[in-house]
Amino acid sequence: MKPFTYERARSPAEAAAAAARQPGAKFIAGGTNLLDLMKLQIEAPAHLIDVNGLALDKIEPMPEGGLRIGALVRNTDLAADQRVRRDYGVLSRALLAGASGQLRNKATTAGNLLQRTRCPYFYDTAQPCNKRQPGSGCSAIGGVTRQHAVIGSSEACIATHPSDMAIAMRALDAVVETVKADGATRRIPIAEFHRLPGETPHIETSLEAGEFITAVTLSPPLGGRQFYRKVRDRASYAFALVSVAAVMQRDGTGRVALGGVAHKPWRVEAAEAELPRGAKPAMAAILDGARPTDDNAFKVTLAERTLASVLAEARG
Amino acid sequence: MKFDTPATNNPIDQLKIVGKPVDRIDGPRKTTGTAPYAYERHDVAPNQAYGYVLGSGIAKGRVTAMDTAAARAAPGVVAIVTTLDMPRLEKGAMNTAWLFGGPDIQHYHQVIAVVVAETFEQARDATAMIRVSYAREPGRFDLAAEAPNAQLAAADSGEGSGAAHEERTGDFEGAFAQAPVTLDATYTTPDESHAMMEPHSSIAAWEGDKLTVWTSNQMIAWGKRDLAKTLGIPAENVRLDSPYVGGGFGGKLFLRADAVLAALGARAARRPVKLALTRPLVANNTTHRPATIQRVRIGAERDGRITAIAHESTSGDLPDGKPETAVSQTKLLYAGANRLTAMRLAVLDLPEGNAMRAPGEAPGLMVIEIAMDEMAEKLGMDPVEFRIVNDTQVDPEHPQRPFSQRQLIQCLRQGAERFGWSRRNATPGRRREGNWLVGMGVAAGFRNNLVMKSGARVRLDGSGGVTVETDMTDIGTGSYTVIAQTAAEMMGVALEKVTVRLGDSSFPVSAGSGGQWGGNSSTAGVYAACVKLREAVAQRLGFNSAEAEFTDGQVRAGNRSAPLGQAAGADGLVAEDHIEYGDLGERFQQSTFAGHFVEVAVDVATGETRVRRMLAVCAAGRILNPKSARSQVIGAMTMGVGAALMEELAVDKRHGFFVNHDLAGYEVPVHADIPHQEVIFLDEVDPISSPMKAKGVGELGLCGVGAAIANAMYNATGVRLRDYPMTLDKMIDRLPEVA
């Protein structure tokens, strides 16, 4: 861990301003991912801005019927919130499918969105990685890629986003609220929040330098039956091979987002028109253009079968 | 004491304390966090500095230069030792890979430097500042690609399971060609990591030319000898101390880089140094269970009797390494007149392959016991009955040599009854509960019983207290407790009157912990010492030692009795002895047996397999402590679930390393994977094994579990998998359509 300076922010705008002032600064909330990465020097911030003291830990109703989730709401509290459980079941289920009880107690809403890939080549600092060291190359391509992306990847990076929560939020079309260093605020639809790797896989979100997440908002409840089906090699405490977040209506229409397949939560709205016709055509459209490796070609089949299982349950 | 005739009645047979499910005497210390593990021994040496090791970033080649200037100038740095500072160190007798010194790189994460600093963080930070230049060389990293070049190789696993490079009995090829029902199938098992909770850790301190290392090691005498050899110093100048070990599973049988680099770092820093290997180095710097490619051929008559059986295994290791002895149990498990076993070894430039819990037996049984299931199906027989039909009470290669005890049939029959085996549908894929396909599987568990010379010293004090000292280790197995039970039973005192001190190389050399020999052999050594102490007590108190009874803290004979402590006098009374073994092990095959039964559910859509319940019925001699024995067996069963369903060190075949080198990537079972386990021990005493009449259970609990799960998965789905771990990607294409 590199030596770093540390401050406690007193307001969101001040946090953003402080981050803009200090190149290489990072916000720290739960620290469940950042501290691990700092110990390995994958992250080496010169300055940490502790945002835990900011009063961003409330879940509040929105005037038009949605919810505003403070950036610092812990995953445990969000999953257990009665309104979330009643109206946004997909989100509660996704949160509970992730990490462990101890980590969920500590991890925050904004931090969950910002967690970094678990690609093992990203974690091994003896190996080239374009995310860790832009331009050094991708050592995952051609290596052990069972966990890696099957769609939306590039020649520079085939990593996946590890979050469960973000997949559910993508299905719910959540909006990320931020404040910038100049005090201006912004609302970023989650579809535009995470980026595909392209040639700059080290740039993972559309946040600008210093831009600070204050909340995530959810639209009024969608109703329907909500599912989060996470497929993994062991029963708990593992990242998804494939996950399916689905909000299904009685008439067979719905929304589907996938985890474990891409550099960002993967949702193709146009493909959802196929849902009433079943999992096979729907997944063919969702994963149209997929370029899996030999190691992870199974994810295409697995995604289709998992969706089929979810649709069957939705019908039942 | 030499044990060369079967045990007769002795004080252990009283079973007042031995055989009782008493709590671990070290339990309160462990559950309250007050049992200090190696890295936590802050009090043993003052002014400890922190060491951090740097592993090679290439798998094969040479270090051409190391720039340590920035690291040496970093805050808090006390000393740096690099691999270029010294020629390659001598190698310990048990090591395959060299541990340190010289420019040559044999495998990824070979240690190339240790940085010593005032704090852990400073040491780690400075280590990252070392700039290393390498000359890479191409390596051999792909077992399947190298298998055609593999050479026949004989080996002992280091934990007692061995096989010649090729062994033949009768005419295998002829009998196989004539058999009306045959199987010829190839299976694979992956590289596995011990993944113990406590990484390899050591604190080293020099006093002049005398070295003390507080460490975490299963075999103290081996470690002492090999550390001295590696450092080029006399063994008598080395003391190892390892009273608590946070898991080993064979990964701490041998000297590893932590002890060597702590010693080198301490010498350079001129003060005590502590260091632990980081988690990635546990996978790539230490040892692992090597992957295997195994071919099994079985031929049988239509009535199910095996007439021909062949088991061949290919594995890889560094030059001068050993094969995984995966065929060893096939030599003994089932009858059949015509037999062939063979092992082949390929040269690989991956980290060192070596013993992991039930080395050879575990991956061998993972395979042979699937093959038996496949044969049973071809024969139209129940898999339990097929195994029973082929039971043997003698060593099939040497029929004049009987098993000392062999209750495999009883294990299988009782297990089938208890598990509800009769409810299994013999046709696979027929039992469905919602989205789950449900199936049952069975496998035989089979692990040999090894006996090892083991010594102990016992001391009686004036209050009737007994202290046992032996360099035996407790790697989470319960050694402290069974040793205390043995001494209490022998000396006729309450368990609370016994103090057990373990793991110090200044104590008498014991069997150590490995090969499931530790429980039986180390307690037999304590038995021998206690026999001597009883004689000394009787003599002091004026009793005829043959008549003296030791009970309730008293020594009695005829109508006279005296307090035991009275014999101690002011200075105490000390006796030391060891158990050593004659040729009973050659005259009899000593083994332990189990019937493993498993029920699994497989998600029909995703192929996720979840174990629902497990049962092991074990026959393993006298069970010294049913509670700690059960703990060992359920832990081993859990490891078997890992081996069956998820554990695999994934090899990067281009760059030659295990990619998933942390506990997020190397998955082992978590609580949610293990819903229900049951263990039954059959009544058995084995007077051939030792005066304790006990055998081991710690590895038996693992042997066969993987295959029982594989067979249950087949019964559930109709998909036969022959490649471990049996992850969903290997069957997703073969599962039924999802509605």
Side-chain angles (χ1 to χ4, degrees):
Chain A
M1 191 178 287
K2 294 275 191 196
F4 55 87
T5 53
Y6 171 90
E7 71 176 290
R8 286 201 178 95
R10 280 177 296 185
S11 75
E14 193 183 294
R21 267 198 310 276
Q22 305 232 27
K26 282 263 175 191
F27 304 116
I28 183 162
T32 57
N33 191 206
L34 180 60
L35 288 177
D36 285 354
L37 294 170
M38 286 172 67
K39 290 171 187 172
L40 297 166
Q41 295 196 9
I42 294 166
E43 296 272 15
H47 184 65
L48 282 185
I49 301 161
D50 187 335
V51 298
N52 282 297
L54 306 182
L56 299 173
D57 55 354
K58 305 280 189 303
I59 305 172
E60 298 164 317
M62 306 255 284
E64 66 275 28
L67 285 181
R68 172 179 277 112
I69 302 159
L72 295 174
V73 173
R74 307 285 155 171
N75 288 177
T76 297
D77 297 329
L78 183 57
D81 184 89
Q82 287 206 10
R83 293 159 293 182
V84 173
R85 291 179 59 184
R86 184 186 63 219
D87 297 331
Y88 306 96
V90 62
L91 178 57
S92 187
R93 292 185 176 106
L95 283 158
L96 293 175
S100 63
Q102 294 90 330
L103 287 167
R104 293 195 296 267
N105 287 342
K106 199 85 181 127
T108 63
T109 304
N112 191 320
L113 288 174
L114 293 172
Q115 63 179 309
R116 306 200 66 191
T117 185
R118 263 59 174 195
C119 171
Y121 294 93
F122 172 72
Y123 268 80
D124 188 334
T125 51
Q127 301 299 319
C129 171
N130 288 322
K131 255 186 198 305
R132 189 165 15 83
Q133 213 175 352
S136 62
C138 172
S139 48
I141 294 173
V144 175
T145 58
R146 184 168 179 267
Q147 292 276 353
H148 288 74
V150 297
I151 194 161
S153 55
S154 71
E155 296 305 311
C157 182
I158 58 170
T160 54
H161 198 276
S163 174
D164 293 298
M165 183 196 79
I167 312 305
M169 287 185 170
R170 181 68 181 88
L172 293 170
D173 267 340
V175 174
V176 181
E177 295 190 343
T178 68
V179 58
K180 297 192 208 181
D182 62 3
T185 60
R186 178 154 89 114
R187 288 174 53 79
I188 310 169
I190 195 158
E192 296 161 23
F193 182 80
H194 294 104
R195 292 163 51 103
L196 289 178
E199 292 179 4
T200 54
H202 59 291
I203 303 172
E204 293 171 351
T205 69
S206 54
L207 291 174
E208 295 171 12
E211 190 170 2
F212 177 71
I213 299 173
T214 52
V216 175
T217 64
L218 302 178
S219 304
L222 295 166
R225 300 184 69 175
Q226 305 197 0
F227 302 87
Y228 189 76
R229 183 74 170 86
K230 180 177 181 179
V231 183
R232 44 190 156 175
D233 289 320
R234 63 181 171 191
S236 178
Y237 206 44
F239 294 98
L241 296 168
V242 162
S243 68
V244 173
V247 179
M248 297 305 302
Q249 305 299 336
R250 282 176 183 280
D251 61 3
T253 64
R255 301 171 169 201
V256 170
L258 301 185
V261 298
H263 197 260
K264 59 185 283 187
W266 192 256
R267 182 174 168 204
V268 180
E269 278 85 343
E272 289 166 2
E274 300 286 340
L275 282 172
R277 296 180 49 222
K280 208 176 272 277
M283 194 54 71
I286 294 169
L287 291 181
D288 185 30
R291 290 190 311 161
T293 67
D294 289 348
D295 283 359
N296 67 23
F298 75 94
K299 285 189 177 184
V300 175
T301 311
L302 179 61
E304 181 201 305
R305 295 179 65 96
T306 306
L307 179 61
S309 178
V310 166
L311 295 184
E313 198 177 337
R315 283 194 305 270
Chain B
M1 176 183 288
K2 183 146 190 183
F3 183 76
D4 51 9
T5 54
T8 53
N9 203 39
N10 68 44
I12 297 296
D13 295 318
Q14 300 172 95
L15 296 181
K16 289 179 182 168
I17 301 173
V18 169
K20 295 283 188 284
V22 301
D23 290 347
R24 289 179 190 222
I25 62 171
D26 50 330
R29 299 198 75 189
K30 288 184 173 169
T31 50
T32 56
T34 52
Y37 289 82
Y39 202 80
E40 303 168 319
R41 301 192 71 182
H42 315 298
D43 57 338
V44 292
N47 198 27
Q48 296 174 14
Y50 291 80
Y52 196 88
V53 298
L54 175 63
S56 166
I58 67 166
K60 188 159 173 60
R62 276 178 311 114
V63 176
T64 54
M66 296 180 76
D67 177 357
T68 59
R72 285 183 199 280
V77 171
V78 178
I80 296 178
V81 182
T82 80
T83 199
L84 300 182
D85 294 345
M86 62 189 70
R88 190 153 67 191
L89 299 179
E90 279 288 306
K91 196 158 70 176
M94 309 303 285
N95 295 104
T96 300
W98 279 280
L99 294 180
F100 194 68
D104 293 333
I105 298 300
Q106 275 191 301
H107 63 85
Y108 198 73
H109 280 175
Q110 176 178 321
V111 176
I112 57 172
V114 60
V115 175
V116 180
E118 296 292 343
T119 71
F120 171 78
E121 288 77 10
Q122 288 171 331
R124 185 174 58 187
D125 188 34
T127 305
M129 295 178 193
I130 299 175
R131 294 288 160 258
V132 188
S133 303
Y134 299 101
R136 285 175 191 265
E137 291 168 20
R140 295 150 290 189
F141 307 126
D142 182 348
L143 176 62
E146 296 299 325
N149 306 323
Q151 302 293 312
L152 284 168
D156 184 283
S157 66
E159 286 202 4
S161 60
H165 64 279
E166 185 178 85
E167 275 171 299
R168 291 176 171 277
T169 302
D171 169 20
F172 168 76
E173 281 83 358
F176 186 71
Q178 286 175 13
V181 182
T182 61
L183 170 81
D184 181 351
T186 298
Y187 308 78
T188 63
T189 64
D191 297 291
E192 291 177 5
S193 178
H194 306 84
M196 71 296 279
M197 285 286 274
E198 180 202 30
H200 303 72
S201 311
S202 291
I203 298 171
W206 293 86
E207 273 183 75
D209 55 3
K210 300 258 198 276
L211 172 66
T212 303
V213 180
W214 296 270
T215 190
S216 180
N217 193 291
Q218 299 173 225
M219 300 292 295
I220 299 304
W222 293 359
K224 171 178 165 152
R225 177 197 62 198
D226 282 352
L227 181 57
K229 183 163 182 256
T230 302
L231 296 174
I233 62 177
E236 59 267 26
N237 287 3
V238 175
R239 181 181 154 227
L240 251 55
D241 187 34
S242 181
Y244 298 106
V245 179
F249 310 119
K252 295 172 183 165
L253 283 169
F254 316 122
L255 176 72
R256 298 304 319 167
D258 57 308
V260 175
L261 274 299
L264 294 175
R267 191 153 64 187
R270 299 177 182 280
R271 60 194 265 200
V273 166
K274 69 160 69 173
L275 67 80
L277 298 186
T278 59
R279 187 56 67 177
L281 266 72
V282 173
N284 278 295
N285 176 268
T286 75
T287 60
H288 65 277
R289 189 199 297 284
T292 64
I293 301 169
Q294 301 181 44
R295 181 186 184 194
V296 175
R297 284 172 287 173
I298 303 175
E301 298 293 341
R302 293 199 189 282
D303 64 5
R305 282 178 300 118
I306 292 173
T307 55
I309 184 163
H311 190 174
E312 297 163 89
S313 175
T314 300
S315 57
D317 203 358
L318 288 165
D320 306 319
K322 296 185 296 193
E324 179 74 5
T325 55
V327 307
S328 61
Q329 298 308 83
T330 305
K331 292 154 52 67
L332 292 161
L333 184 48
Y334 295 114
N338 303 287
R339 317 176 71 86
L340 164 64
T341 54
M343 296 190 298
R344 293 177 183 82
L345 179 63
V347 176
L348 293 179
D349 298 303
L350 290 171
E352 174 178 338
N354 216 319
M356 179 169 145
R357 199 175 196 174
E361 292 90 348
L365 282 165
M366 282 161 76
V367 164
I368 194 75
E369 287 295 286
I370 296 183
M372 289 295 286
D373 202 64
E374 296 197 56
M375 270 305 280
E377 186 179 40
K378 282 172 181 263
L379 289 157
M381 287 179 76
D382 182 276
V384 170
E385 292 306 317
F386 178 50
R387 288 173 171 86
I388 289 171
V389 163
N390 288 292
D391 187 55
T392 174
Q393 293 293 314
V394 298
D395 173 350
E397 292 178 358
H398 310 95
Q400 73 283 6
R401 188 167 169 262
F403 284 87
S404 63
Q405 298 273 350
R406 179 168 164 133
Q407 296 200 70
L408 176 59
I409 291 178
Q410 292 83 342
C411 290
L412 291 167
R413 288 239 188 273
Q414 189 165 331
E417 172 71 27
R418 182 85 173 209
F419 201 66
W421 183 253
S422 60
R423 295 198 297 276
R424 170 181 174 269
N425 190 328
T427 309
R430 290 294 171 82
R431 185 172 155 206
R432 177 125 179 209
E433 296 177 12
N435 288 331
W436 297 101
L437 297 166
V438 180
M440 291 188 209
V442 65
F446 177 35
R447 199 344 177 169
N448 294 338
N449 182 61
L450 306 166
V451 289
M452 294 276 276
K453 181 177 173 182
S454 195
R457 184 160 56 223
V458 286
R459 180 191 314 273
L460 176 67
D461 65 35
S463 69
V466 178
T467 299
V468 185
E469 292 176 336
T470 165
D471 84 355
M472 179 62 189
T473 49
D474 188 322
I475 60 172
T477 41
S479 310
Y480 276 105
T481 310
V482 293
I483 284 172
Q485 288 175 273
T486 302
E489 190 83 61
M490 288 299 290
M491 301 312 298
V493 299
L495 197 59
E496 297 72 36
K497 298 293 277 184
V498 180
T499 302
V500 181
R501 302 176 64 199
L502 300 182
D504 188 327
S505 63
S506 65
F507 298 156
V509 173
S510 74
S513 297
Q516 79 169 11
W517 62 56
N520 179 48
S521 287
S522 71
T523 54
V526 173
Y527 168 92
C530 287
V531 167
K532 264 202 176 167
L533 185 60
R534 286 166 61 113
E535 286 166 2
V537 166
Q539 193 175 15
R540 280 228 179 147
L541 297 177
F543 287 102
N544 177 340
S545 69
E547 293 170 7
E549 286 179 28
F550 291 67
T551 50
D552 303 327
Q554 300 285 314
V555 187
R556 292 196 186 91
N559 51 12
R560 191 159 77 85
S561 82
L564 177 66
Q566 192 181 310
D571 301 331
L573 188 58
V574 179
E576 180 175 334
D577 201 3
H578 58 263
I579 191 88
E580 60 188 321
Y581 296 89
D583 67 350
L584 288 172
E586 282 87 65
R587 286 160 54 204
F588 296 89
Q589 176 57 42
Q590 297 179 33
S591 298
T592 61
F593 295 89
H596 286 291
F597 292 80
V598 175
E599 182 176 285
V600 302
V602 180
D603 187 293
V604 68
T606 64
E608 289 162 290
T609 299
R610 303 291 180 239
V611 172
R612 287 188 161 190
R613 57 193 182 101
M614 311 176 77
L615 166 68
V617 181
C618 303
R622 170 174 285 155
I623 301 303
L624 301 175
N625 180 331
K627 191 170 193 173
S628 57
R630 177 181 182 276
S631 291
Q632 287 238 63
V633 173
I634 63 173
M637 291 158 76
T638 302
M639 192 177 252
V641 173
L645 297 179
M646 61 194 82
E647 289 187 45
E648 174 178 21
L649 285 167
V651 182
D652 187 311
K653 292 169 186 164
R654 306 161 306 168
H655 302 315
F657 69 105
F658 299 128
V659 172
N660 51 341
H661 49 48
D662 60 35
L663 292 178
Y666 187 84
E667 291 183 17
V668 298
V670 293
H671 288 90
D673 291 302
I674 308 296
H676 184 78
Q677 296 175 315
E678 189 178 4
V679 181
I680 295 168
F681 294 107
L682 297 186
D683 259 344
E684 182 177 301
V685 289
D686 193 338
I688 307 289
S689 73
S690 83
M692 303 302 294
K693 305 172 186 172
K695 292 187 280 201
V697 295
E699 300 187 344
L700 175 66
L702 171 60
C703 294
V705 172
I709 294 170
N711 298 337
M713 290 170 70
Y714 175 73
N715 183 243
T717 63
V719 179
R720 178 65 75 182
L721 297 180
R722 299 188 182 91
D723 300 292
Y724 289 94
M726 297 175 293
T727 46
L728 58 88
D729 45 304
K730 293 170 182 166
M731 66 171 143
I732 190 87
D733 290 335
R734 291 187 272 167
L735 291 173
E737 281 288 310
V738 185

